[in-house]
Amino acid sequence: MNLRKKMTGAAAVSVLLACSAALTGCNSDVHVKVSDYNFDTAGNMFAYAEFELSGEPLAESLGVDLDVLDAGKIDQPTAFDYKAGIESYEYSEEAMYEVVEKSGLGLHLVNGPATTLEAQAAGIANNELLASRFQHMADSVGQPAEDIQQNMYPTFIEYASGDPHYNQKVDTGKYADGEDGAYIPNYQVNFASLRWNRDKMKKQLVPAAYGATMLKQSLWAGDFLGNLHDAKSDEEVDASTAEEGPEADQGLKLGVSSVDGMQGMILTDEVWNKLLYVRDNLFYDPASKNIGGLVNTPDGYLPHAVDVEEAGDKDFETIKNLKVADGRSLLQDQWLMLWPTSEFFGMTDQRAANPNRNPAFARVFDGDPFPAAPAVNADGDESNDIASTDPYTVTRDVLLAVFDTIKNRHWNDKTGAFVTEAEGDKQGTQVDTFQAGYTIEALRMFERAIDGLPVGYANGEGAEGLKTEQGAAAKEMITKQADFILSALINKDGLAATGYDAAKGQADKDTSLQAQIGAIRGLTSAFLATEDEKYRDAARKLYAAMDEKLWDNDLKAYKTKGSDASYDAFTAGGVSAVFRLALEHLKNTSSDTDAPKALDQNAIQDRYVAFFRQVVNGPTLDEGMQASEFWDTGDVYKEGDDSGNTDGDTVPQIQKGHGDHGIAPILLPVKLSN
């Protein structure tokens, strides 16, 4: 049984007494102070995507029995099991819902382009169409429509940033009794009190922000809809065992369970609308300096920032006008669009030539509940393709356009590296190690998706691919960029430089934690894409050097640059990723001739736990990156207990966090000192 499904009903958790020896914060001399209470969408959603992958999937791959984990039993059966299987994973899921269902940080799905098209075809109002669509999706997964959360604010595209403090008192009144003396609070089923202040939102469309959000949505949607379940027992069923024909006729429903399946449906609808809006509205023509549909700007790209003037509908906010605020193409924007679009393409892929298609996904996109692609668009012959708004066609169109942007605007073939920005036809000269490394990972996912290989949690599984031209081009760039890291970016101390100036032909003299993260991430991705051991060997050496030279044993964290230890969400997400890669691919094995202690599995897990305790959770209730927590991580609500911290850890309940009415469970930047 998946832990995720255990957590969706009433909280079955026990209450821990306050400070125990296992918890950070009892006797800590280190301060982990929040430096800014602004919410950065791109950084948060990126970090939580890495937290997700470093959560349940990682724990399970290392042999952890997820069924024995209990949110109320902190650090049991081990601290690593709990931090990965409960905290990392559940923080990740709840933050996504805060952004795309609760906060209002973006534009309402009722005005999404697919919603609008279907409403026009049906001759009804958009809100009526969306309500009926949600009811239909609920039926497809076997969830009673009345169980859908009330006053949800589903977004089809998200803004760049906002104030994560709640705009009114959070409704923590009792909705229903739970178990072990706990109760389910009203805000868990009615999201009305969880809105953020729209006047404090940065109403700007930034590809890294709505792309990173899409990464979270796509990873969870793929997990939630990646199998079927029995309509009566709600138990997961292997989709490959189902017979042809409607699943309902076989006593089956879509999704791994009814509750998770419904969330998967909502997330999928949001992503479809997002990509359709991006394709038909947000591509920039640098010659005319106008934005519009991809069909009208075949050589266009997604600009860094587009200002939104809202129409003023207080219930279902929509767009009145768009204005390009920054017409540059930034590498971070492009790889944070390429990666999630690749993930979603793996779900929607309907190419007849692809033998690896997940049969559960095939049922989701067979025309009900989501439209199927025209047959000519999936036949492998591009010459007969037609325009379409179905999820597969829209995703393919955006995916290939973003790939072309990276290849044509950011790839410097002479240098053999990706540059961080381009404007119009002018390419910049700076190579950033973090950005280049993550571009390798995004290209790895692109190559897998376009070649029909498994993505999502199964992105390491082998299969026979389609060997497309685009996949080959991606792999060539992966190899050259990884070779460039080896030849040009490693300094005499064995650390990666922060970047490289292609015009001067020299690497930067300074280094940083982000540079190590980018280099390790990129080299490990190159190893996974090519199976060339030289990339794994180099990533192992970098990890050992990073651990030796940047870890501060007093701070219980890595120094980020020089003597400074300041963490934003991008850095925290990257650290989480590096620990995961070390545990999955870089740790010492019997075949390794060199076995540094830093790469022993126990040593990596110790670093994971220490980092999570110190930097993410923080030593005290008002310190650490995680601003607050939900009941999924053990902070249950009990009548008569107004502590706002019933599990006795160092992260408060949402209504007791910073601010007049509390703060959402998201990540904030911190600075460590002693």
Side-chain angles (χ1 to χ4, degrees):
M1 179 179 176
N2 194 306
L3 173 68
R4 181 184 60 245
K5 288 185 281 186
K6 288 168 63 180
M7 290 302 182
T8 40
V13 292
S14 59
V15 179
L16 278 177
L17 296 175
C19 203
S20 73
L23 300 179
T24 305
C26 301
N27 294 292
S28 177
D29 294 326
V30 178
H31 298 291
V32 187
K33 295 295 187 182
V34 174
S35 54
D36 184 0
Y37 283 94
N38 190 57
F39 174 81
D40 173 55
T41 307
N44 264 259
M45 293 295 97
F46 159 79
Y48 281 125
E50 294 289 27
F51 279 21
E52 175 185 351
L53 296 171
S54 297
E56 269 193 18
L58 173 63
E60 196 166 29
S61 74
L62 297 174
V64 176
D65 181 359
L66 301 178
D67 287 341
V68 306
L69 298 178
D70 185 332
K73 296 179 180 177
I74 294 178
D75 289 349
Q76 298 298 320
T78 73
F80 173 79
D81 296 348
Y82 185 85
K83 293 287 183 276
I86 297 287
E87 289 187 331
S88 185
Y89 198 66
E90 299 298 348
Y91 287 165
S92 167
E93 183 177 18
E94 185 53 32
M96 174 185 67
Y97 293 141
E98 283 289 325
V99 173
V100 304
E101 291 184 0
K102 301 176 181 179
S103 65
L105 187 69
L107 297 163
H108 201 292
L109 184 61
V110 77
N111 293 314
T115 306
T116 300
L117 288 171
E118 290 190 11
Q120 290 173 346
I124 59 176
N126 283 29
N127 61 327
E128 293 179 49
L129 185 284
L130 189 62
S132 65
R133 181 153 181 74
F134 270 41
Q135 290 174 347
H136 182 68
M137 291 191 297
D139 180 67
S140 73
V141 300
Q143 184 185 47
E146 58 268 23
D147 288 349
I148 300 173
Q149 283 90 348
Q150 302 166 36
N151 289 300
M152 190 184 296
Y153 197 109
T155 50
F156 76 85
I157 198 162
E158 295 74 33
Y159 288 148
S161 62
D163 182 348
H165 294 97
Y166 292 118
N167 205 31
Q168 58 187 303
K169 184 178 179 181
V170 175
D171 188 355
T172 59
K174 185 168 76 171
Y175 171 76
D177 289 319
E179 298 179 21
D180 297 332
Y183 72 86
I184 299 170
N186 287 326
Y187 78 78
Q188 185 179 322
V189 295
N190 186 333
F191 298 163
S193 65
L194 302 179
R195 298 288 187 267
W196 299 2
N197 189 333
R198 293 196 74 81
D199 292 337
K200 295 183 179 180
M201 295 176 184
K202 188 172 185 179
K203 298 170 184 176
Q204 201 170 65
L205 302 181
V206 174
Y210 58 75
T213 306
M214 180 167 58
L215 179 58
K216 287 293 304 138
Q217 292 167 307
S218 298
L219 286 170
W220 283 103
D223 186 26
F224 289 159
L225 298 178
N227 237 335
L228 305 177
H229 67 276
D230 185 276
K232 291 184 178 179
S233 69
D234 209 36
E235 290 297 317
E236 188 169 340
V237 174
D238 187 342
S240 65
T241 65
E243 300 175 359
E244 291 187 13
E247 54 275 352
D249 293 349
Q250 305 171 58
L252 301 173
K253 292 289 186 178
L254 298 175
V256 297
S257 71
S258 58
V259 173
D260 289 342
M262 185 61 199
Q263 288 293 354
M265 288 291 166
I266 295 171
L267 295 169
T268 298
D269 207 37
E270 290 170 340
V271 173
W272 174 32
N273 277 268
K274 190 195 317 282
L275 286 170
L276 183 54
Y277 188 81
V278 168
R279 187 193 70 173
D280 292 350
N281 296 276
L282 295 182
F283 278 86
Y284 179 64
D285 178 6
S288 66
K289 300 189 183 303
N290 292 324
I291 54 172
L294 180 59
V295 67
N296 298 318
T297 55
D299 296 322
Y301 58 86
L302 296 175
H304 174 56
V306 176
D307 287 335
V308 174
E309 181 186 358
E310 294 183 339
D313 185 331
K314 64 181 180 64
D315 294 319
F316 305 119
E317 195 56 81
T318 188
I319 294 173
K320 179 179 180 181
N321 186 50
L322 297 175
K323 181 181 179 181
V324 176
D326 189 335
R328 293 175 300 161
S329 174
L330 298 189
L331 185 60
Q332 179 170 279
D333 288 331
Q334 306 306 332
W335 69 256
L336 265 172
M337 277 297 292
L338 187 71
W339 182 1
T341 311
S342 299
E343 298 282 1
F344 198 64
F345 185 80
M347 289 181 62
T348 63
D349 191 0
Q350 293 165 44
R351 290 173 295 177
N354 183 6
N356 303 313
R357 193 176 179 207
N358 183 323
F361 294 155
R363 290 177 179 273
V364 173
F365 299 100
D366 63 358
D368 184 15
F370 292 97
V376 293
N377 288 7
D379 64 2
D381 180 4
E382 294 181 8
S383 65
N384 65 1
D385 288 358
I386 60 175
S388 178
T389 60
D390 69 275
Y392 165 75
T393 302
V394 172
T395 307
R396 180 201 62 186
D397 291 349
V398 174
L399 180 66
L400 294 178
V402 175
F403 173 70
D404 284 345
T405 297
I406 290 176
K407 179 166 64 76
N408 298 330
R409 297 183 184 277
H410 290 275
W411 177 246
N412 184 323
D413 194 55
K414 181 180 179 181
T415 302
F418 296 103
V419 296
T420 58
E421 69 177 73
E423 187 162 11
D425 295 327
K426 184 179 179 181
Q427 188 180 77
T429 63
Q430 188 63 33
V431 177
D432 181 284
T433 306
F434 180 84
Q435 303 298 340
Y438 263 97
T439 302
I440 293 179
E441 172 62 6
L443 283 170
R444 183 179 78 89
M445 298 308 301
F446 169 80
E447 187 268 329
R448 292 189 66 86
I450 204 69
D451 282 353
L453 300 171
V455 292
Y457 291 178
N459 72 78
E461 293 181 7
E464 186 64 29
L466 297 178
K467 295 181 171 59
T468 64
E469 180 182 340
Q470 296 97 332
K475 190 169 285 190
E476 182 179 3
M477 288 187 286
I478 287 172
T479 302
K480 289 183 177 179
Q481 174 66 78
D483 288 342
F484 179 83
I485 293 173
L486 295 181
S487 64
L489 293 180
I490 308 300
N491 66 24
K492 63 180 185 201
D493 293 327
L495 295 172
T498 56
Y500 183 93
D501 190 324
K504 296 179 180 179
Q506 64 184 36
D508 298 338
K509 294 181 180 180
D510 59 345
T511 188
S512 67
L513 179 58
Q514 276 203 356
Q516 313 320 306
I517 291 166
I520 294 169
R521 195 72 164 98
L523 290 170
T524 309
S525 297
F527 163 66
L528 295 173
T530 66
E531 299 183 346
D532 191 329
E533 289 285 342
K534 74 177 181 182
Y535 300 127
R536 177 178 179 270
D537 292 342
R540 280 168 49 80
K541 289 178 181 177
L542 264 174
Y543 182 95
M546 174 189 74
D547 197 71
E548 176 189 353
K549 300 177 186 303
L550 300 187
W551 181 262
D552 187 311
N553 210 41
D554 292 329
L555 294 179
K556 293 294 185 290
Y558 291 109
K559 291 174 286 189
T560 53
K561 195 166 188 176
S563 60
D564 191 40
S566 297
Y567 284 81
D568 62 8
F570 274 106
T571 307
V575 170
S576 174
V578 165
F579 288 146
R580 181 180 75 252
L581 296 178
L583 288 166
E584 291 181 331
H585 307 293
L586 306 179
K587 66 185 177 185
N588 296 326
T589 67
S590 58
S591 61
D592 290 314
T593 55
D594 184 30
K597 290 183 178 180
L599 281 166
D600 286 342
Q601 179 168 322
N602 288 340
I604 302 166
Q605 289 179 326
D606 286 346
R607 287 284 189 258
Y608 183 113
V609 170
F611 172 78
F612 219 89
R613 282 176 175 165
Q614 190 80 321
V615 179
V616 178
N617 287 350
T620 65
L621 280 170
D622 61 351
E623 296 182 290
M625 297 188 74
Q626 186 67 29
S628 67
E629 67 180 350
F630 191 51
W631 65 275
D632 276 353
T633 49
D635 225 329
V636 300
Y637 290 81
K638 295 177 68 70
E639 293 183 78
D641 188 332
D642 191 43
S643 67
N645 186 30
T646 58
D647 60 359
D649 66 4
T650 59
V651 181
Q653 291 175 345
I654 63 172
Q655 81 284 354
K656 290 291 188 177
H658 187 269
D660 293 339
H661 304 298
I663 191 169
I666 49 81
L667 294 171
L668 298 167
V670 297
K671 181 178 177 63
L672 282 72
S673 63
N674 54 9

